[in-house]
Amino acid sequence: MFNEKFVVSRDDSIYEAWPALTLTEKGKLICVFTECTRHTDRTYTRIVYKESLDRGRTWGEKIALTEGTAGLDYFYDCCSIARLNDNRLVIVTNRVLRNDDYKQGYFHESVSELYIGISEGEKWEGPIPTPIRGIVPDTLCELPSGRWLLSAHWKSKKHGYLEQMLWYSDNQGKDWSGPITVASMEGLHLCEASILALPDHTLVAFLRENSNDGKDGYKAISRDHGETWEGPYRMPLPGCHRPVARMLKSGKVMMTHRFYQGGPVGYGSNQNLFAAWMDMDTVLETEYIKQWIRVLPIDYDRSLLADNGYSGWAQFDDGEIYIVQYIADDSPNCQIRGYSLREEAFMLNPYCESSRGSSMTWI
């Protein structure tokens, strides 16, 4: 087997979903996720996290970050977690008001809030308000300059399709500028961005297209620290939902994502978590035919009511990659599962410069 599987959290009394993951300075894994009644029932929600001191082989008990929302006029949606340059941690939570904006599917009034933790996550300050609006906030991206980027999506009031928006702060969240449009195009539902800062300071936002017919994923590119964006450009990744892109220690880029092939919408319609692997030329390439990507299956959801594919991952100093996702599979609700693999799972000799498709014989 190319990977090992681990139970991160399985509580059959509650639905556990939409995890994010970070690795602390001292090597602790922290996985933050949402509890709720069901995917389509947010009567009760709560943001919780778990910690692992043994590289994800075993996990501690759930620790509550927020209050439970039963009986309240809001609920929590997806959350994210990041490690800052100074080794502090940032969790972003997404609070959705139960109002007309939410009921009509616009989400312009959904609020992202920050929790700032010390380096190993023993203490958290928050919630800290932000002006970021929309749902599914990306992992907070800190640039070498210290600028913070945070993006989310909502439905455009101009053309009625989903669009990805961004705010930035140059004083660690005290003040924010935005919103800036990352990607918006009539006819495409562009959402759930994962923004990756490259070594040359270019930013690439990998995007889900949410028309539910198996469309390819997209990307947008910024060359001025997130203030303007080019694109969107189509990628050869069909059915790419909820991308999570990071740099590998080899200099390559890996992106975990749900594969949704299209067709019926609802439980059972998507069953697979994939990981895409690409080099820097492909990340920056805008022509579809020149993007060379390898795609690795991570797990398959066997449940008749399959529900899975939002993920997070981190890489240890020795190269081991640890991935988390939520999955129904053999659970009566949903559970959080972990996976361990190494870059060699994508191909033999993955560090060889001649591994690009341009050196291969086309058939």
Side-chain angles (χ1 to χ4, degrees):
M1 288 293 292
F2 63 84
N3 69 39
E4 296 180 82
K5 299 181 183 181
F6 305 95
V7 175
V8 176
S9 187
R10 177 167 174 171
D11 179 350
D12 289 350
S13 70
I14 198 74
Y15 178 102
E16 301 174 311
W18 314 303
L21 185 74
T22 199
L23 179 67
T24 70
E25 179 186 17
K26 295 182 179 180
K28 179 197 294 184
L29 289 172
I30 299 179
C31 178
V32 58
F33 56 95
T34 306
E35 293 181 329
C36 66
T37 309
R38 289 194 310 277
H39 195 142
T40 55
D41 182 353
R42 309 297 175 87
T43 306
Y44 165 83
T45 61
R46 185 175 69 155
I47 305 298
V48 299
Y49 64 94
K50 299 185 79 170
E51 301 176 338
S52 174
L53 301 176
D54 58 3
R55 301 168 71 106
R57 275 56 184 173
T58 62
W59 292 81
E61 297 299 316
K62 285 190 280 192
I63 303 170
L65 182 74
T66 72
E67 73 287 1
T69 61
L72 301 180
D73 63 354
Y74 61 89
F75 63 86
Y76 289 108
D77 193 45
C78 300
C79 53
S80 64
I81 186 169
R83 176 177 158 189
L84 297 173
N85 295 337
D86 63 6
N87 292 317
R88 289 181 300 156
L89 307 175
V90 178
I91 292 175
V92 183
T93 61
N94 188 222
R95 185 161 51 88
V96 182
L97 302 177
R98 304 182 195 272
N99 58 14
D100 288 341
D101 181 71
Y102 151 69
K103 293 175 183 177
Q104 294 176 26
Y106 281 90
F107 301 102
H108 291 85
E109 298 174 29
S110 300
V111 179
S112 288
E113 299 172 322
L114 306 181
Y115 288 79
I116 309 292
I118 59 177
S119 61
E120 296 303 307
E122 302 99 331
K123 183 179 179 181
W124 297 90
E125 175 190 358
I128 301 167
T130 77
I132 287 77
R133 298 294 181 264
I135 59 172
V136 195
D138 185 19
T139 303
L140 189 144
C141 179
E142 185 179 26
L143 304 184
S145 66
R147 172 173 286 187
W148 289 4
L149 308 175
L150 189 55
S151 71
H153 73 266
W154 60 35
K155 186 183 289 186
S156 169
K157 291 185 177 179
K158 179 180 179 181
H159 54 60
Y161 289 83
L162 299 179
E163 58 186 3
Q164 191 73 29
M165 312 303 292
L166 175 140
W167 290 255
Y168 67 86
S169 172
D170 289 319
N171 56 10
Q172 297 197 331
K174 295 177 183 176
D175 302 288
W176 294 85
S177 298
I180 293 166
T181 301
V182 174
S184 179
M185 179 176 289
E186 187 171 0
L188 293 177
H189 286 291
L190 299 169
C191 62
E192 297 186 356
S194 177
I195 295 178
L196 179 65
L198 303 182
D200 69 354
H201 305 296
T202 304
L203 302 174
V204 180
F206 297 93
L207 296 148
R208 167 180 177 172
E209 202 293 320
N210 201 34
S211 295
N212 294 315
D213 58 5
K215 279 189 172 71
D216 289 324
Y218 282 76
K219 62 186 174 186
I221 297 174
S222 175
R223 306 180 193 279
D224 57 7
H225 313 290
E227 296 185 28
T228 62
W229 293 82
E230 309 164 10
Y233 303 106
R234 188 165 68 103
M235 300 182 67
L237 283 174
C240 174
H241 280 201
R242 189 57 175 113
V244 178
R246 304 281 185 268
M247 291 286 302
L248 291 164
K249 296 188 180 302
S250 66
K252 301 296 194 295
V253 169
M254 190 182 92
M255 183 180 77
T256 51
H257 62 96
R258 170 201 283 167
F259 171 65
Y260 171 59
Q261 62 270 32
V265 178
Y267 289 124
S269 61
N270 50 266
Q271 307 90 31
N272 291 280
L273 178 71
F274 287 171
W277 182 85
M278 63 199 89
D279 64 17
M280 204 60 61
D281 289 340
T282 287
V283 171
L284 293 170
E285 181 59 61
T286 59
E287 289 189 47
Y288 183 86
I289 197 65
K290 295 181 179 179
Q291 299 176 59
W292 192 79
I293 303 173
R294 294 182 74 96
V295 180
L296 177 74
I298 301 299
D299 204 355
Y300 177 81
D301 193 333
R302 300 168 296 173
S303 172
L304 179 64
L305 301 177
D307 189 10
N308 67 294
Y310 281 49
S311 59
W313 64 273
Q315 187 178 29
F316 292 95
D317 287 341
D318 65 1
E320 180 188 357
I321 301 164
Y322 195 93
I323 301 169
V324 294
Q325 74 150 336
Y326 85 105
I327 185 170
D329 200 46
D330 59 351
S331 168
N333 287 302
C334 272
Q335 60 190 302
I336 311 298
R337 185 175 284 174
Y339 311 85
S340 170
L341 66 151
R342 291 182 179 272
E343 199 169 350
E344 288 83 355
F346 288 94
M347 66 181 298
L348 299 176
N349 302 318
Y351 312 111
C352 178
E353 288 301 318
S354 63
S355 62
R356 273 185 61 77
S358 58
S359 66
M360 302 176 70
T361 301
W362 297 97
I363 58 174

